[in-house]
Amino acid sequence: MTSELRVDRIVPYDGIPSGGGGGIIQTVQTVKTDAFTTTSQSFTDITGLSATITPKFNTSKILITYTLSIAGNGFPMFKLLRGSTDIFVGDAASNRVRCLFGGYVGGGQMSSMTIPVSGNFLDSPSTTSATTYKFQTGVIHATGYTTYINKSQIDSDFNYHARTASSIILMEVSA
């Protein structure tokens, strides 16, 4: 006969120290291995690059870790969202685009390679409902340009052009 003990969390005998917490409660990962291309002049979802987590506690934080393999020409911009809400974007400043990262990408050597962009963000969704985090991209306010995920701009069928992968990892962290 076997026994099984399941708990949501374990608190030390003397209680949680001031400012304590930080234990990982659960982890969710999405890996995108196919290519994505857009010429949209407004932000659009990157298909297949989202992850959903249902926090066990409304006091938990969600640690988002991501790696995007990007390429483009022109002015690719990228945003991180919780549902339909922008998170981790810059302040409004006149005509500048509020986003996580982006800017002008020139041609030349950049056209035949992808660039990995990695980072982290600690979010406080204050919910126990299913919560989706996703990335959006676009070539904002510029026509004739393209953003690429997991492939280069040239992407010719040669053994020196790469196909890459991107991922998003969500970790529920105890408060």
Side-chain angles (χ1 to χ4, degrees), residues 77-90:
M77 307 280 180
F78 296 84
K79 290 200 304 189
L80 174 62
L81 295 90
R82 179 195 333 108
S84 59
T85 302
D86 295 350
I87 58 174
F88 198 29
V89 296

Side-chain angles (χ1 to χ4, degrees), residues 26-31 45 48-56 62-65 80-84 123 125 127-135 167-172:
Q26 62 174 314
T27 303
V28 174
Q29 175 179 255
T30 297
V31 176
D45 292 354
L49 196 55
S50 65
T52 300
I53 193 166
T54 304
K56 293 190 182 295
I62 304 299
L63 177 61
I64 304 136
T65 301
L80 174 62
L81 295 90
R82 179 195 333 108
S84 59
D123 188 38
T127 187
T128 56
S129 298
T131 304
T132 299
Y133 292 88
K134 64 183 179 180
F135 283 93
S167 72
I168 180 171
I169 300 169
L170 307 178
M171 290 178 269
E172 182 180 0

Side-chain angles (χ1 to χ4, degrees), residues 3-165:
S3 299
E4 191 173 290
L5 173 65
R6 293 181 184 209
V7 297
D8 287 328
R9 67 176 147 179
I10 298 174
V11 176
Y13 174 74
D14 293 332
I16 297 175
S18 176
I24 304 299
I25 298 169
Q26 62 174 314
T27 303
V28 174
Q29 175 179 255
T30 297
V31 176
K32 178 177 179 60
T33 57
D34 62 327
F36 175 86
T37 303
T38 185
T39 58
S40 175
Q41 289 181 264
S42 58
F43 283 104
T44 186
D45 292 354
I46 299 174
T47 307
L49 196 55
S50 65
T52 300
I53 193 166
T54 304
K56 293 190 182 295
F57 306 99
N58 67 358
T59 56
S60 293
K61 297 186 182 299
I62 304 299
L63 177 61
I64 304 136
T65 301
Y66 57 88
T67 299
L68 279 72
S69 184
I70 67 165
N73 58 12
F75 305 87
M77 307 280 180
F78 296 84
K79 290 200 304 189
L80 174 62
L81 295 90
R82 179 195 333 108
S84 59
T85 302
D86 295 350
I87 58 174
F88 198 29
V89 296
D91 288 344
S94 189
N95 291 316
R96 294 164 187 87
V97 178
R98 297 184 69 207
C99 62
L100 174 59
F101 66 93
Y104 177 72
V105 178
Q109 299 251 336
M110 295 296 291
S111 64
S112 61
M113 65 185 299
T114 59
I115 306 295
V117 177
S118 298
N120 303 292
F121 181 67
L122 190 61
D123 188 38
S124 300
S126 301
T127 187
T128 56
S129 298
T131 304
T132 299
Y133 292 88
K134 64 183 179 180
F135 283 93
Q136 291 185 335
T137 188
V139 283
I140 310 306
H141 310 301
T143 59
Y145 296 104
T146 307
T147 300
Y148 307 92
I149 305 295
N150 295 345
K151 72 175 190 171
S152 67
Q153 177 185 342
I154 293 178
D155 194 43
S156 298
D157 192 15
F158 295 112
N159 63 1
Y160 49 83
H161 284 165
R163 283 295 175 98
T164 54

